[in-house]
Amino acid sequence: MVMQLPGVSSSWESNAAVADLADIAHTADELGFDHLTCAEHIAVPVTDGAARGLTYWDPLSTFGFLAAHTSRIRLTTSVIVLGYHHPLEIAKRFGTLDRLCAGRLVLGVGVGSLAEEFDLLGAAFDGRGERADDAIGALRASLSTTRPAYHGTHYQFEGFAVEPCAVQPRVPIWVGGRTLRSLRRAARLADGWMPFGLTPAEIHDMLARVDVGPDFEVVLPTGHALDPLADPERTLRRLNALRTAGATAVTCSVTAASPGDYCRQLAALRDLTDRL
């Protein structure tokens, strides 16, 4: 519902009620899933709709709502575009969310790729990689303190109060992307990598070229929607392929004909993981 992608999302999602979103999130929470995701696009060119989709719910508003309907599952931005925000803006807004959800925030961040959206927002597209590197450093210095101080290449601040801040002593930061550079950025500055649009073989090859720590998260998407009820064996093959590629966690899409069917698919998916 919160990110409706062509070829992945089901037709019912565009007209589903907010209560359906709460039910699905609550079901995932009760079943023991690790995290929910929500992506950021502020304004997508209509001409890009066939490739990207046009529906992207705001992550902060969405997770603020879902925090009240869940108790355990983590809330993961997938991703916030760093170039659209000052790091202290992110630290204040998502630090508040971390407090509201009792320390369940995972901050997924990305460099961004939609030049038209950068231009619309008055954000610099050129040099966004270097700016993003500095923004991650600034976020690490500011998410979990009310008196942040940072002096980097693009961001400098000290002597300001940012209250409240995150309740986690170290908010996990995962870097999105589909390039070797994004993996290197994640290994150097963050706690995990969330690639997209890559094959398991490509991911395995990239991971072999970068030294990551033992606690580093590799969060891989299923790509196409899984159908655990109708095709459990294909679902298992896909999950096993992602694990072989290096996944420590998987962000799953499932096919469903209704919100109730979506919840049944989640239950079937949870049961299948016992066979992995």
Side-chain angles (χ1 to χ4, degrees):
M1 289 176 61
V2 301
M3 183 175 65
Q4 296 174 30
L5 299 178
V8 176
S9 299
S10 301
S11 59
W12 60 267
E13 295 182 38
S14 60
N15 296 313
V18 172
D20 296 324
L21 178 63
D23 287 344
I24 291 169
H26 178 72
T27 297
D29 191 32
E30 291 291 303
L31 288 170
F33 282 86
D34 180 71
H35 61 273
L36 302 168
T37 63
C38 190
E40 177 182 54
H41 273 297
I42 295 170
V44 179
V46 173
T47 52
D48 278 19
R52 295 178 181 267
L54 299 176
T55 299
Y56 291 86
W57 292 36
D58 176 68
L60 185 62
S61 304
T62 302
F63 283 151
F65 171 74
L66 293 179
H69 291 273
T70 56
S71 61
R72 183 205 52 79
I73 197 166
R74 295 194 288 178
L75 308 177
T76 302
T77 59
S78 178
V79 296
I80 295 296
V81 181
L82 291 167
Y84 297 168
H85 312 278
H86 190 282
L88 289 185
E89 177 188 348
I90 298 173
K92 176 60 172 286
R93 293 178 174 177
F94 286 91
T96 302
L97 174 63
D98 193 57
R99 181 171 295 270
L100 289 171
C101 71
R104 293 186 281 135
L105 171 69
V106 178
L107 193 66
V109 299
V111 171
S113 61
L114 188 52
E116 296 91 337
E117 192 172 25
F118 274 81
D119 291 342
L120 178 68
L121 298 173
F125 187 75
D126 293 338
R128 66 193 185 283
E130 293 79 8
R131 186 175 294 273
D133 287 351
D134 199 45
I136 295 172
L139 283 168
R140 184 62 77 204
S142 59
L143 275 165
S144 301
T145 178
T146 62
R147 299 294 185 271
Y150 183 76
H151 299 278
T153 57
H154 292 77
Y155 300 100
Q156 303 87 31
F157 48 82
E158 190 170 6
F160 291 90
V162 180
E163 298 192 29
C165 67
V167 297
Q168 295 181 83
R170 181 182 173 91
V171 174
I173 298 177
W174 295 349
V175 173
R178 55 178 302 173
T179 63
L180 187 60
R181 184 175 182 180
S182 70
L183 173 56
R184 288 174 171 155
R185 174 178 290 114
R188 186 175 78 255
L189 301 172
D191 307 292
W193 184 45
M194 306 175 70
F196 63 93
L198 299 172
T199 67
E202 289 171 327
I203 293 165
H204 186 271
D205 177 66
M206 286 186 184
L207 288 170
R209 299 169 65 184
V210 177
D211 184 24
V212 299
D215 298 323
F216 188 78
E217 296 273 13
V218 178
V219 187
L220 303 184
T222 55
H224 58 265
L226 304 177
D227 194 343
L229 283 170
D231 200 344
E233 296 306 319
R234 184 176 183 224
T235 298
L236 283 171
R237 286 195 299 271
R238 182 61 178 174
L239 295 176
N240 272 316
L242 293 174
R243 182 169 63 177
T244 300
T248 62
V250 175
T251 300
C252 295
S253 299
V254 297
T255 184
S258 68
D261 191 33
Y262 198 104
C263 292
R264 289 187 289 273
Q265 289 278 43
L266 290 179
L269 182 60
R270 192 279 310 273
D271 290 343
L272 279 177
T273 60
D274 293 336
R275 296 169 54 185
L276 290 174

